[in-house]
Amino acid sequence: MALIQYAVIGHVGLITINRPEALNALNRAVLQELNEVLDAVDLGTTRCLVITGAGEKAFVAGADVAEMCCMNESEARIFSETGNALFRKIETFPIPIIAAVNGYALGGGNELALSCDIRICSENAVFGQPEADLGITPGFGGTQRLARVIGSTSKAKELLFTCRNIKAEEALQIGLVSAVYPQIDLLTEAIKMADRIAGHAPIAIRNIKKAVNEGLDMPIEDAIQHEVNLFGNCFTTEDQKEGMQAFLQKRKEKVFKNR
Ligand code: CO8
């Protein structure tokens, strides 16, 4: 059985991490399959991805502790580099990716969610970075992305130092997730959001993702120039003409061609 399942629903791709017997823990094989699935996404037709975990208990309960426990320094570095490269690929993936967090998102699980563009979760979701209690630091980007995502080094360090798990309501309150849904509705809501994103001009959406992500790492003057360039680029597309003509013609239906 595949460790990663991939389904296409219209313009939306649904990735499911499928190792429920180990609460979808990330071992080398899961990381490799996830990488392969991302490489196989048809970017000509797919406009948004959703990532979730199999079962009702966990999104991802972390990196696989059983696999990690006997690593030496060099193996640990390679594992961290592999996970970091994959999560950076997710972060910079050309189309938006929504994490539908359906339960535990601990350690590498929270780090996976952090590398996605948007996080929504179920009422039973639990988030945390328990690494310090295992004698390690987060190794898949958590020391870098948590503070950036929630916009507070104080809160990020509190969570990283105390290894305190937080529930969905607190995750919403600190801005770690955008919305909380009953578990039964989570996937439907995630796909609905992805569908809504997929209904807008795809090149504009890609340019927005680039502008926000890359701009945040630039001085503001350079970031504004980056926006100018990406805004200008939209005017080379057929979809800009379609979007604006539809508005001027008071036409509700638009056909965006990803061109
Ligand atoms: N790794 C391996 N197996 C796991 C993991 C994990 N992270 N989480 C759960 N499992 C397995 C359990 O061992 C158990 O297997 P088995 O049935 O064979 O005993 C099965 O999943 C079910 O789990 P539990 O019986 O423990 O379920 P509970 O409901 O009692 O508890 C918890 C659920 C609270 C989520 C609990 O499983 C838990 O605490 N899991 C570990 C959470 C954790 O510490 N995660 C962080 C791991 S470290 C990490 O992610 C670092 C990332 C960076 C790596 C850098 C590389 C160098």
Side-chain angles (χ1 to χ4, degrees):
M1 175 101 90
L3 292 166
I4 304 291
Q5 295 174 336
Y6 185 61
V8 175
I9 308 146
H11 288 302
V12 175
L14 173 63
I15 293 175
T16 306
I17 299 169
N18 184 37
R19 204 186 165 214
E21 70 285 358
L23 303 188
N24 304 318
L26 304 172
N27 59 15
R28 292 184 183 99
V30 172
L31 295 180
Q32 191 184 325
E33 271 194 40
L34 183 52
N35 195 40
E36 286 165 6
V37 163
L38 288 171
D39 284 342
V41 170
D42 179 357
L43 289 171
T45 56
T46 307
R47 298 180 181 177
C48 191
L49 294 178
V50 173
I51 299 185
T52 195
E56 295 187 346
K57 206 166 160 183
F59 173 66
V60 166
D64 190 314
V65 179
E67 194 177 75
M68 267 189 306
C69 71
C70 298
M71 287 179 183
N72 61 29
E73 182 185 357
S74 121
E75 288 165 337
R77 288 178 72 103
I78 290 167
F79 190 50
S80 177
E81 280 167 3
T82 305
N84 266 311
L86 175 61
F87 288 10
R88 184 73 181 137
K89 183 180 207 161
I90 288 169
E91 186 168 49
T92 59
F93 206 67
I95 57 176
I97 305 186
I98 300 168
V101 178
N102 56 311
Y104 288 110
L106 301 176
N110 192 41
E111 292 169 301
L112 171 60
L114 286 169
S115 70
C116 295
D117 296 291
I118 298 168
R119 285 154 296 285
I120 61 176
C121 74
S122 53
E123 287 164 345
N124 66 323
V126 174
F127 300 82
Q129 296 288 161
E131 285 89 344
D133 201 39
L134 293 163
I136 58 174
T137 69
F140 291 163
T143 59
Q144 303 310 309
R145 289 198 184 92
L146 183 57
R148 283 170 164 87
V149 164
I150 65 176
S152 162
T153 49
S154 174
K155 179 54 78 178
K157 285 174 181 170
E158 179 221 313
L159 295 174
L160 292 163
F161 293 160
T162 64
C163 301
R164 181 170 71 84
N165 286 347
I166 60 170
K167 294 185 179 166
E169 201 179 312
E170 188 174 349
L172 181 64
Q173 186 222 321
I174 65 171
L176 182 55
V177 298
S178 305
V180 181
Y181 298 101
Q183 179 151 56
I184 196 165
D185 298 328
L186 177 67
L187 208 50
T188 309
E189 292 295 338
I191 290 168
K192 206 194 287 178
M193 185 188 281
D195 233 5
R196 186 179 174 136
I197 292 169
H200 299 305
I203 295 168
I205 295 286
R206 290 178 184 216
N207 283 0
I208 290 169
K209 176 166 174 168
K210 274 173 83 69
V212 174
N213 280 6
E214 294 169 11
L216 281 172
D217 292 331
M218 293 177 185
I220 187 71
E221 293 302 337
D222 296 349
I224 294 294
Q225 189 54 50
H226 197 37
E227 182 187 85
V228 169
N229 295 340
L230 290 162
F231 176 77
N233 169 264
C234 293
F235 286 76
T236 67
T237 68
E238 289 178 30
D239 287 346
Q240 174 269 328
K241 294 180 180 43
E242 168 67 3
M244 293 197 176
Q245 273 161 16
F247 173 80
L248 294 172
Q249 293 164 0
K250 304 192 184 310
R251 170 161 56 85
K252 268 220 153 99
E253 291 307 312
K254 294 168 210 165
V255 182
F256 289 124
K257 295 182 177 157
N258 199 10
R259 290 203 295 256

